[in-house]
Amino acid sequence: MGIKTKIVGIAYKNDNGMPRQELLLRAKLRGDEYVNLEHEKNNPNSDHAIAVRDINGHQLGYLKDALAADIIDWIKKRGSTKAQILNITGGEDEVNFECNIEIPVTIEWGPEEETKPKKEKEKEKGKEKEKEKEKEIQSGCLGWIILTIVAFISFLYVSRWLIK
């Protein structure tokens, strides 16, 4: 299960002059199954641009800007991630290719605490309860120690009074 989308910007050439259409044709002929998604930090057009690269690192295009804005934090956490190529269509005249991909989705429930397995949470709760019991025992022991000291001092005071 994932987010299905088309790669945009595939009609352009890369900075080295390589047409992205040619790169898509090569990917189709090789039978590539995956592309890499990488945040393009220094993109002058968008702070959240996500480049789509083939297995050799050549840029095929971008994710749509609205989608990139929605998943940029998820991509930044991972540095890069793979997306599955669903199909490469068109290109009857070896141009006008399109590429459909699927970005895998993982559900994150929020803070790290909420994503821990149940057994880990139960272990931590057990450790917290043990610490609380130790504190109770320590405070109880301290109470007894103070009471014993007071009783001993009282005994010494009373016995001194009795001796006189």
Side-chain angles (χ1 to χ4, degrees):
M1 183 175 178
I3 301 168
K4 295 177 182 178
T5 188
K6 288 184 187 291
I7 301 172
V8 298
I10 56 176
Y12 297 99
K13 293 182 179 181
N14 287 333
D15 291 341
N16 64 1
M18 177 68 75
R20 293 176 183 170
Q21 288 288 307
E22 188 175 322
L23 293 168
L24 278 170
L25 174 61
R26 289 180 187 182
K28 185 174 185 173
L29 294 174
R30 281 192 307 256
D32 291 358
E33 294 181 14
Y34 293 95
V35 290
N36 290 312
L37 307 177
E38 297 176 2
H39 176 222
E40 204 171 71
K41 297 172 187 157
N42 298 322
N43 186 299
N45 299 313
S46 175
D47 292 335
H48 46 264
I50 298 176
V52 180
R53 300 187 181 280
D54 69 10
I55 60 172
N56 295 317
H58 299 112
Q59 185 166 354
L60 300 175
Y62 291 95
L63 293 184
K64 293 175 186 174
D65 203 48
L67 174 59
D70 287 341
I71 66 169
I72 189 66
D73 291 334
W74 184 75
I75 296 286
K76 282 180 180 178
K77 283 181 190 175
R78 288 156 183 76
S80 69
T81 194
K82 286 186 177 183
Q84 181 181 3
I85 296 174
L86 297 175
N87 55 31
I88 298 174
T89 60
E92 287 75 28
D93 52 358
E94 294 191 10
V95 292
N96 301 319
F97 286 101
E98 290 186 350
C99 184
N100 299 299
I101 61 173
E102 184 172 8
I103 304 165
V105 175
T106 56
I107 298 173
E108 296 180 9
W109 295 101
E112 184 180 327
E113 180 63 29
E114 295 175 19
T115 60
K116 289 183 181 177
K118 190 175 180 180
K119 287 184 180 181
E120 275 187 46
K121 288 181 186 178
E122 289 174 356
K123 249 187 211 180
E124 288 179 7
K125 284 182 183 177
K127 288 179 183 178
E128 288 174 14
K129 284 182 181 179
E130 286 178 17
K131 286 181 182 179
E132 286 176 23
K133 284 181 183 179
E134 285 178 13
K135 285 181 182 178
E136 288 176 327
I137 291 170
Q138 288 173 353
S139 64
C141 289
L142 184 59
W144 278 107
I145 291 170
I146 292 171
L147 184 62
T148 305
I149 291 171
V150 169
F152 182 73
I153 291 172
S154 298
F155 171 77
L156 289 176
Y157 183 77
V158 170
S159 59
R160 187 173 157 202
W161 178 72
L162 290 173
I163 295 176
K164 285 185 184 181

